[in-house]
């Protein structure tokens, strides 16, 4: 019996996006999967790539959208899985053509628009409200909806009963294996870690301010959002404590998890952050790293209620500093919690636990 087919489409995300690749790999167990995405590769991890050109500017996205539309209609699939809000127009066109569209909602885009400084501040609220109405209109007409956080699941199930929370947890064994590294965990060096996009909104300057008076090494990996942020960081008095790795592979990430004494997740309280569920929350956990995060209610519930992390007001560098110093003073105790932290991850927060919910979005109904 031939497998049913799924066309996964993103015009925004790179071809190494973890959420998209995890979904494709899991879905390929029961379906034939094609991925339309910006790439110069023919396949990734066994997933067939239908290549979109790699672009550098927002203006080029319009051309990319047109090309993605043509490619999606060049072959008839049983299901279409879209990953970007800008593809909602395509989802409605596919719906009119009697195609089954599943919409994966990564972020609270209504709130995210309000934080975009490149949009005129007087227009942000209008655009946000208009997009919210349009998104809900499209959600009602989607075959199924997948949500990356409990907040989004609760928000959108009101508009489509076939809404499933498929959370962005790491695969069970992704960070479990320890790789050899030139940096060893030592008793005399206290290492803090942040991996991800580096920006003001994600707390980089609050962290640098907080570690001014702390003898530590700051392991920093990821891309700066712009050259201005990078220059400002490099001129900060705490930059001399930073060991900057740039963008890293998952293997390198595992190495840093092995040697870090404390993981940091100090996002500022923007609307989209407060109800988010960042990958790092669970990636640090999967590596057994105790973490200090912003005191948003959902994050506090996961970390403090399970005794695997602490939370703090992300706007208070003085409190962040005090908390880091407290962990440093007791770092042997917190490192001894690694098996406990990994056990909690394996029990409740693995990608494998999400696969059955992912599959439900593609069941005939």
């Amino acid at each position: 019996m031939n497998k049913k087919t799924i066309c996964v489409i993103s015009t925004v995300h790179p071809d190494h996006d973890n959420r998209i690749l995890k979904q494709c790999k899991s879905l390929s167990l029961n379906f034939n999967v094609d991925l339309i995405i910006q790439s110069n590769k023919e396949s990734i991890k066994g997933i067939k790539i239908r290549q979109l050109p790699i672009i550098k500017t927002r203006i080029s996205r319009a051309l990319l959208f047109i090309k993605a539309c043509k490619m999606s209609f060049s072959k008839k699939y049983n299901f279409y899985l879209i990953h970007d809000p800008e593809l909602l127009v395509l989802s409605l066109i596919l719906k009119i053509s009697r195609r089954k569209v599943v919409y994966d909602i990564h972020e609270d885009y209504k709130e995210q628009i309000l934080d975009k400084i490149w949009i005129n501040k007087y227009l942000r609220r209008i655009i946000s409200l208009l997009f919210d109405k349009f998104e809900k209109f499209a959600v009602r007409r989607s075959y199924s909806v997948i949500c990356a956080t409990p907040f989004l699941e609760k928000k959108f199930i009101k508009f489509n009963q076939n809404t499933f929370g498929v959370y962005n947890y790491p695969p069970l064994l992704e960070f479990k294996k320890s790789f050899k590294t030139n940096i060893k965990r030592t008793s005399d060096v206290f290492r803090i870690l942040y991996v991800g996009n580096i920006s003001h909104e994600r707390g980089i300057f609050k962290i640098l301010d907080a570690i001014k008076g702390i003898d530590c090494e700051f392991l920093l990996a990821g891309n700066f959002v712009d050259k201005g942020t990078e220059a400002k960081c490099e001129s900060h008095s705490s930059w001399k404590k930073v060991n900057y790795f740039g963008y890293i592979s998952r293997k390198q990430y595992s190495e840093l998890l092995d040697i870090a004494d404390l993981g940091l997740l100090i996002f500022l309280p923007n609307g989209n952050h407060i109800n988010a569920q960042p990958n790092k929350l669970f990636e640090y956990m999967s590596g057994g790293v105790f973490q200090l995060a912003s005191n948003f209610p959902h994050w506090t519930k996961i970390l403090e209620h399970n005794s695997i992390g602490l939370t703090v007001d992300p706007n208070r560098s003085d409190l962040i500093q005090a908390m880091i110093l407290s962990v440093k003073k007791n770092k042997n105790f917190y490192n001894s919690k690694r098996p406990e932290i990994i056990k909690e991850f394996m029990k409740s927060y693995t990608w494998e636990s999400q696969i059955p919910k992912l599959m439900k979005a593609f069941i005939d109904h």
Side-chain angles (χ1 to χ4, degrees), residues 118-213:
W118 53 271
I119 300 176
N120 182 286
K121 65 180 180 180
Y122 299 108
L123 291 176
R124 283 179 219 164
R125 184 162 297 278
I126 296 172
I127 295 172
S128 175
L129 290 171
L130 289 174
F131 174 78
D132 185 52
K133 290 182 180 297
F134 175 66
E135 184 176 42
K136 289 171 181 174
F137 176 84
V139 162
R140 287 189 182 98
R141 287 152 182 82
S142 296
Y143 185 77
S144 300
V145 178
I146 296 170
C147 295
T149 72
F151 173 81
L152 293 172
E153 182 182 6
K154 185 177 179 181
K155 175 180 177 180
F156 286 102
I157 199 167
K158 301 172 186 174
F159 306 99
N160 188 319
Q161 64 178 358
N162 296 306
T163 294
F164 306 94
V166 180
Y167 308 143
N168 214 19
Y169 300 154
L172 179 62
L173 299 177
E174 185 171 23
F175 295 112
K176 189 174 181 182
K177 181 179 177 182
S178 294
F179 295 93
K180 292 182 179 179
T181 175
N182 293 326
I183 310 173
K184 304 296 181 184
R185 188 186 300 126
T186 62
S187 59
D188 59 333
V189 178
F190 179 69
R191 294 190 172 100
I192 59 176
L193 171 68
Y194 172 77
V195 179
N197 287 335
I198 305 167
S199 69
H200 164 72
E201 291 77 15
R202 296 193 174 206
I204 185 60
F205 299 113
K206 296 295 182 183
I207 296 170
L208 291 173
D209 288 344
I211 65 174
K212 279 181 183 179

Side-chain angles (χ1 to χ4, degrees), residues 299-312:
W299 301 13
T300 300
K301 181 178 179 181
I302 292 172
L303 295 175
E304 295 196 354
H305 290 196
N306 292 311
S307 301
I308 56 177
L310 298 170
T311 60
V312 66

